[in-house]
Amino acid sequence: MSKPHKARVARGGARINLMYLPGVLLVLTSLWAGPTALAFGLVGAVLWAAAAALTRDGLAAEQAFYDRAFARKPALPRKIIACALVGIGTGLAALAHGIGAGGAAIYGVIAAALHLAAFGPDPLHDRLPEGVDARQSDRMARVVSRAEEHLAAMHATIAALRDRALNEQVVAFEDTARHLIERIEADPRDLVGARRYLGVYLMGARDASEKFAAHYARSQSRAARMEYEALLRDLQQNFAARTEKMLQDDATDMSIEIEVLRERLQRPLSPQGTEAP
């Protein structure tokens, strides 16, 4: 049985919201200044707002990084860029209020240092399980990335139907699938045994979800809905079984389960919403 989906509170939410305040104050205090000061003030406010948005994204990326046993460092160091923007924006604010270039530079450095102290830098190194080489990590990253894309597409497709019960069932399957992903990230040697699940079967689940959503949106067929719910249950049970086998380090042949699941995913829906014979 999968664990319930847990909502997260955004890290640094209150502090990030406060980052918008200096920009607002800077705009208000620059409105009645001269044209040069107004320009400095407006640009500084924009930089502060951009820094706040980048910091929020950077904290979310950092949370995702530390949530996984395996993770690549963020491609874009958002918090570091935000730190620089805060420094430049503060320097421009100082210039807008008649402070000389030297003083403005000092204020900018202090503001950047405070931002770095408050939010820290972005992760600067990849996070790899012990004993995993670069080639293994790249292969695992590609498989996991595609699996997450399939899950996201499946979620978006069913969410568009605005059916709470169906959404909950899809989320439950997502949680089960992500347990399998987490297992592989913890021990990449399991990738061989689970690659078909995270590739072929998740792609099949995505395609089946798209076909069902298109059919159900037109017909509201109860038979089609029951068939799709049965498919979700089968998928969840098979993914959970695969994860359990890995956790027990059991070498039992799962070829029968794999063949059943393949047949289940490839079986099309008839126009009436039931399986074609």
Side-chain angles (χ1 to χ4, degrees), residues 204-232:
R206 181 204 65 191
D207 293 344
S209 297
E210 291 173 352
K211 291 175 183 176
F212 162 73
H215 175 73
Y216 189 70
R218 294 191 306 269
S219 67
Q220 295 294 305
S221 168
R222 181 171 178 80
R225 181 191 178 104
M226 293 175 63
E227 181 58 35
Y228 181 69
E229 290 175 335
L231 173 61
L232 288 176

Side-chain angles (χ1 to χ4, degrees), residues 87 91 94 100-110:
I106 292 173
Y107 279 119
V109 169
I110 293 173

Side-chain angles (χ1 to χ4, degrees), residues 149-160 167 170-171 174 178 209:
E149 288 173 4
H150 294 325
L151 287 172
M154 184 177 175
H155 182 97
T157 297
I158 300 304
N167 286 340
V170 169
V171 168
E174 289 174 27
R178 288 196 171 96
S209 297

Side-chain angles (χ1 to χ4, degrees), residues 16 18-24 26 42-55 82 85-91 93 111-112 115:
I16 293 171
L18 286 175
M19 286 184 64
Y20 289 99
L21 183 58
V24 173
L26 184 54
L42 292 178
V43 173
V46 169
L47 292 179
W48 266 90
L54 280 171
T55 301
L85 293 181
V86 164
I88 297 171
T90 301
H115 182 280

Side-chain angles (χ1 to χ4, degrees), residues 70-72 126-142 185 187-189 191:
F70 162 79
R72 291 291 190 188
D126 294 338
R127 197 160 182 247
L128 303 178
E130 186 176 351
V132 177
D133 59 30
R135 185 176 178 182
Q136 283 178 306
S137 68
D138 288 342
R139 183 164 59 249
M140 182 168 60
R142 288 194 297 271
E185 289 176 332
D187 188 354
R189 293 172 299 179
L191 179 61

